Amino acid sequence: MTRPLIIALALLALRQAPADDPLREWADYARGPGGIELREWMRCVTHASLTGSECKRPAPAGIPRYYGKLGLFVTFQKGSRVRGCFGAFHHVSDDAVLTLKEYIGGALYADPRHSPLDIAELEDTAIILTVADEPVSVEDINRVDFSRHGLMIQFESGERLVLVPSEIKSWDRLNRLLGSRTIVQCEIFRALTIR
């Protein structure tokens, strides 16, 4: 089987996800009351982290499975600018609350591409959770729908760059992010964006 055919079949399979697909679980959760609780809780945790206080809001119940199956990434976006993004495909903990708290802190303080968010900016900043499937190789990123897929790129230098859909936005933006670095491997992943 040729590589382009494998990629086409992989993309077709992504569109026809089975009922037990963990991304489908997250999509159902995000549309319901759990998704609202999760978004409000993430904003409370972010506020607490920025002010050095404690979030008194209880963590949402029933957060879908992710450990060993899905990546989680937290992104802060103010207007059209990303102000921080942090996450992983493979996690230290299977406790969603601890994992999300760690990734919120990472997006606030550990993303070297962006200056840290200030408390005065929080009200106007979207807090985005991207739930991601495992990456699959792709040879032609020109055929990728970046509203539903993220991108993982490895450069000749060994550096890896993971971009969730909310970071890509346009081909111009993607080209600016990539710069003149030589790409040696490109993978895409299905992504569910919760904002």
Side-chain angles (χ1 to χ4, degrees):
M1 191 177 297
T2 65
R3 192 156 185 88
L5 182 55
I6 292 170
I7 293 166
L9 291 174
L11 290 175
L12 180 61
L14 294 176
R15 288 191 199 108
Q16 299 171 346
D20 65 343
D21 176 10
L23 275 183
R24 183 172 288 175
E25 288 180 52
W26 275 90
D28 292 343
Y29 181 79
R31 283 191 293 269
I36 294 168
E37 290 176 28
L38 178 64
R39 290 187 295 275
E40 291 173 354
W41 176 80
M42 288 178 63
R43 185 160 292 280
C44 179
V45 169
T46 301
H47 183 272
S49 183
L50 288 169
T51 60
S53 62
E54 184 180 334
C55 174
K56 302 288 188 190
R57 179 180 292 276
I63 296 175
R65 61 193 169 130
Y66 72 97
Y67 189 77
K69 298 188 178 298
L70 299 170
L72 298 176
F73 297 86
V74 174
T75 306
F76 295 108
Q77 183 177 335
K78 184 176 180 198
S80 62
R81 292 185 53 222
V82 172
R83 291 303 311 279
C85 185
F86 195 86
F89 285 100
H90 305 284
H91 315 283
V92 174
S93 173
D94 64 353
D95 183 323
V97 170
L98 292 178
T99 298
L100 289 172
K101 282 182 177 181
E102 176 187 348
Y103 295 168
I104 287 168
L108 286 171
Y109 304 114
D111 185 343
R113 301 170 298 170
H114 308 284
S115 59
L117 191 67
D118 184 82
I119 186 66
E121 299 175 280
L122 182 57
E123 186 177 331
D124 299 325
T125 300
I127 302 172
I128 303 165
L129 175 62
T130 302
V131 185
D133 207 349
E134 287 294 318
V136 294
S137 291
V138 65
E139 291 181 16
D140 184 5
I141 64 172
N142 294 311
R143 299 180 57 173
V144 176
D145 176 1
F146 289 122
S147 67
R148 296 184 320 176
H149 293 89
L151 190 59
M152 183 163 46
I153 299 170
Q154 182 173 347
F155 298 100
E156 189 174 55
S157 65
E159 176 189 5
R160 284 185 177 252
L161 180 64
V162 176
L163 299 168
V164 297
S166 59
E167 289 182 291
I168 299 170
K169 297 182 188 105
S170 71
W171 283 104
D172 287 339
R173 168 108 169 113
L174 179 59
N175 287 329
R176 282 194 308 273
L177 290 169
L178 299 178
S180 61
R181 296 175 284 185
T182 303
I183 298 172
V184 294
Q185 183 177 11
C186 186
E187 297 177 298
I188 62 168
F189 51 89
R190 289 185 307 152
L192 172 68
T193 301
I194 303 170
R195 50 172 82 219

